[in-house]
Amino acid sequence: MRNVIIAGNWKMYKTQAEALEFLQGFMTQLDVTPDDREIVLCVPFTTLVSLSQNLHGSRIRLGAQNVHWETAGAYTGEIAAPMLTEIGVRYVIVGHSERRQYFGETDETVNLRLKTAQQASLTPILCVGETKQQRDANETESLIFSQLKKGLVGVDQTNLVIAYEPIWAIGTGDTCEATEANRVIGLIREQLTNPNVSIQYGGSVKPENVDEIMAQPEIDGALVGGASLQPGSFARIVNFQ
Ligand code: PGA
């Protein structure tokens, strides 16, 4: 059984006050959300504690946006897995393209982070995807297969989510065609040893295109940036038809 998982990625947005305001508007719209959908909010570190306190008894799961591979140490600016699990975090995004592009994340560090997350019983959401240039050069498949091969060495595929996020579709409003996302996700699945890994699509998912995306047979969920910041639009996305 592949779980349906809709995750919001707030990136570097929202103070604690703004996060709580979001929650008030969002929670009331979940009465109609089918039970079999997992809803995750991946928020800034500063917001995790107050959201955790306010999500008690709710069906929303908390996620972080990064985790270091050591459980403690002299790593200024990083966060360790026990610091996340202590406050009830269940998921963590690993290898987001913005981390790879702006902060020097490599397949090797992605691999280390994935394994540490799993050892702490966090479920990592591994992001893979190609740039526009790589797509135009017909390198989409080889790049993604290489990201998977290097990233997944020694990783337990029974506690893993993958997000296919074509970089050219992130924050651009330029969504990948639903059928093309479905094709690539099918190819990703063929590379895995566990056929039940949930694979999300991410990149300009919004209320207007979520129904078509989620209707694709290979797509098990969505990783949503910009459209997860407003209660109304994220509620419409988790309540996809
Ligand atoms: P977007 O971001 O929905 O704003 O395109 C997706 C992501 O970066 O995960």
Side-chain angles (χ1 to χ4, degrees):
M1 254 302 273
R2 281 147 45 191
N3 298 328
V4 175
I5 305 171
I6 309 289
N9 172 12
W10 281 2
K11 308 190 180 185
M12 198 174 69
Y13 290 100
K14 290 195 194 294
T15 61
Q16 295 193 57
E18 289 164 346
L20 293 179
E21 193 184 326
F22 170 95
L23 220 52
Q24 279 182 350
F26 182 61
M27 302 264 251
T28 53
Q29 301 183 60
L30 302 182
D31 298 343
V32 293
T33 314
D35 289 339
D36 60 355
R37 295 184 193 172
E38 181 101 327
I39 306 166
V40 185
L41 284 175
C42 300
V43 304
F45 298 135
T46 48
T47 313
L48 286 170
V49 175
S50 57
L51 275 198
S52 166
Q53 286 159 353
N54 283 276
L55 289 178
H56 257 299
S58 100
R59 57 179 294 182
I60 303 170
R61 301 278 174 250
L62 261 189
Q65 299 171 16
N66 203 2
V67 64
H68 196 263
W69 54 88
E70 295 293 343
T71 50
Y75 299 102
T76 304
E78 289 281 332
I79 196 97
M83 299 170 184
L84 298 174
T85 52
E86 182 190 38
I87 50 177
V89 173
R90 305 279 191 90
Y91 287 86
V92 61
I93 297 172
V94 175
H96 190 279
S97 60
E98 287 152 13
R99 299 288 327 163
R100 295 179 191 257
Q101 195 178 343
Y102 306 131
F103 302 100
E105 195 81 66
T106 64
D107 291 320
E108 289 69 32
T109 55
V110 163
N111 177 253
L112 292 171
R113 292 182 201 270
L114 288 172
K115 288 189 286 196
T116 299
Q118 290 185 330
Q119 277 155 18
S121 298
L122 288 162
T123 300
I125 301 175
L126 164 63
C127 301
V128 296
E130 80 288 359
T131 61
K132 178 84 176 68
Q133 211 180 2
Q134 287 160 336
R135 172 157 285 260
D136 291 346
N138 280 323
E139 291 167 6
T140 299
E141 285 83 357
S142 60
L143 183 271
I144 292 172
F145 294 171
S146 161
Q147 286 179 326
L148 290 170
K149 190 159 186 269
K150 294 180 189 157
L152 291 178
V153 175
V155 168
D156 171 12
Q157 295 191 11
T158 63
N159 180 29
L160 177 70
V161 175
I162 292 177
Y164 168 53
E165 296 207 308
I167 295 171
W168 47 273
I170 294 178
T172 56
D174 196 5
T175 328
C176 181
E177 287 285 333
T179 50
E180 173 59 9
N182 186 68
R183 182 186 76 83
V184 176
I185 289 177
L187 293 175
I188 291 174
R189 198 177 307 286
E190 286 174 12
Q191 309 303 307
L192 303 176
T193 51
N194 175 11
N196 292 323
V197 173
S198 291
I199 309 180
Q200 302 172 314
Y201 167 76
S204 299
V205 175
K206 12 180 208 252
E208 301 79 51
N209 59 27
V210 68
D211 298 337
E212 190 191 0
I213 290 166
M214 290 308 299
Q216 304 296 318
E218 295 288 349
I219 303 181
D220 305 317
L223 184 56
V224 187
S228 72
L229 293 169
Q230 300 304 324
S233 69
F234 195 47
R236 174 62 184 83
I237 289 171
V238 302
N239 293 329
F240 69 84
Q241 312 285 301

